Amino acid sequence: MASSRTDTAMSQSKQHSFICCLFLVIQLTTVPVWTKPDSLREVTDGNWEEILTGEWMIEFYAPWCPACQQLQSVWKEFADWGEDMGVNIAKVDVTEQPGLSGRFIITSLPTIYHCKDGAFRKYQGARTKDDFLSFVDEQKWTAVEPISSWFGPSSFLMNSMSALFKLSMFIRRCHNYMTEHLGIPVWGSYVIFGLATLFSGLVLGLLLVFIADFVFPSRRFSSPDYYQKKQTMEQARLIHQQEDAHEADGEEEEDDEDDEEDGDQGDVWRRRRRGSPEGRPEPRGQGLPDEALRKRVVRTREEQEEEEEDT
């Protein structure tokens, strides 16, 4: 009897203990677990302007780079200290963010930049956690010359470089799409891009010519008296042609008359006429209106030559 009671008590105590343990496990699983947020931030083309304020340490890497892969664990450990030191630790994948690669002129991987209120300095020290901590904590970055504002990531030159890198990545993706998905041969893709480049160049050239003509028109054609002077010149040219034709006919008739009447005197007279500066007889009294027109033409020519010298 006593042993049976003892066994019964022990079994009841074991059941009670099991129930208590099960209840404790349930309570622990239902309590929300608070984890430390990831201190390593990701910088992209969309949020890169955030690094212009505050203090940052930024790593530019590529997933395929062996040196970058070795640095990842050290960089994550360094990022855990960032909040304590008041420094933002970030990384940039250049394969996914080609615009930032061009904006910062990344020529080697991994590349590390220190930024303090928009002033960028390239880190050139050892790549260990202690070296990173001392570089920030002891402010060793003050001994490094900052990048010139001309080559800063927010300058016009670097914005243009970023756009160029984005365009090159877009062209590369189009090339891969045409060769891998559409089945176009590689040389066919090159021909398509060559024709597109030629056409865009022609369009851009015509556009620049139109803009230049509109903004800086020629002073010769913009003169209000240009077309009137041009018409006057045309009329004068026609009059000269008619005079030359009439004078040529008159010379032939007069030569015939002179040969019949006084021979030698006609030769002397013709030599005098040919020796005139204009190569034709002096204008007669009846040609006074033509003389006025000639003076007007001469003035027009002089004004036009002065305008051409000014331009």
Side-chain angles (χ1 to χ4, degrees), residues 84-270:
D84 298 333
M85 295 186 301
V87 180
N88 298 293
I89 313 300
K91 61 180 180 178
V92 178
D93 186 355
V94 295
T95 60
E96 297 294 333
Q97 311 298 330
L100 292 179
S101 177
R103 192 179 296 275
F104 286 87
I105 315 181
I106 304 302
T107 57
S108 61
L109 295 174
T111 298
I112 300 173
Y113 274 96
H114 174 271
C115 178
K116 177 67 173 178
D117 295 331
F120 290 85
R121 296 172 173 85
K122 193 172 183 179
Y123 178 81
Q124 302 286 357
R127 296 171 182 173
T128 63
K129 184 186 72 172
D130 294 335
D131 290 316
F132 292 148
L133 292 174
S134 62
F135 182 79
V136 176
D137 188 42
E138 299 176 10
Q139 296 186 357
K140 293 182 180 180
W141 49 267
T142 56
V144 181
E145 185 71 20
I147 297 176
S148 173
S149 59
W150 289 96
F151 298 98
S154 57
S155 64
F156 173 78
L157 180 61
M158 292 299 102
N159 284 326
S160 302
M161 189 67 68
S162 175
L164 182 61
F165 271 64
K166 289 181 181 178
L167 178 61
S168 64
M169 184 60 65
F170 173 76
I171 294 175
R172 180 180 179 183
R173 290 174 180 173
C174 291
H175 172 74
N176 294 335
Y177 178 79
M178 287 189 293
T179 54
E180 295 176 1
H181 294 81
L182 300 181
I184 299 176
V186 176
W187 63 267
S189 176
Y190 291 158
V191 170
I192 292 174
F193 282 115
L195 293 176
T197 303
L198 180 61
F199 178 76
S200 60
L202 291 175
V203 173
L204 182 60
L206 290 175
L207 181 62
L208 292 177
V209 170
F210 291 150
I211 293 175
D213 288 341
F214 179 78
V215 177
F216 304 103
S218 175
R219 295 178 60 182
R220 176 182 177 184
F221 295 100
S222 61
S223 176
D225 299 334
Y226 171 75
Y227 295 100
Q228 183 178 0
K229 294 177 180 178
K230 183 177 180 181
Q231 185 178 5
T232 304
M233 294 289 292
E234 289 293 333
Q235 293 177 355
R237 185 175 63 82
L238 293 175
I239 292 173
H240 282 299
Q241 291 179 354
Q242 293 176 358
E243 288 181 353
D244 292 338
H246 290 308
E247 289 173 0
D249 295 339
E251 286 180 357
E252 292 179 356
E253 293 177 357
E254 291 174 358
D255 288 341
D256 294 338
E257 293 176 357
D258 292 338
D259 289 338
E260 293 176 357
E261 293 178 358
D262 38 23
D264 295 337
Q265 294 180 357
D267 294 336
V268 175
W269 183 81
R270 282 194 298 273

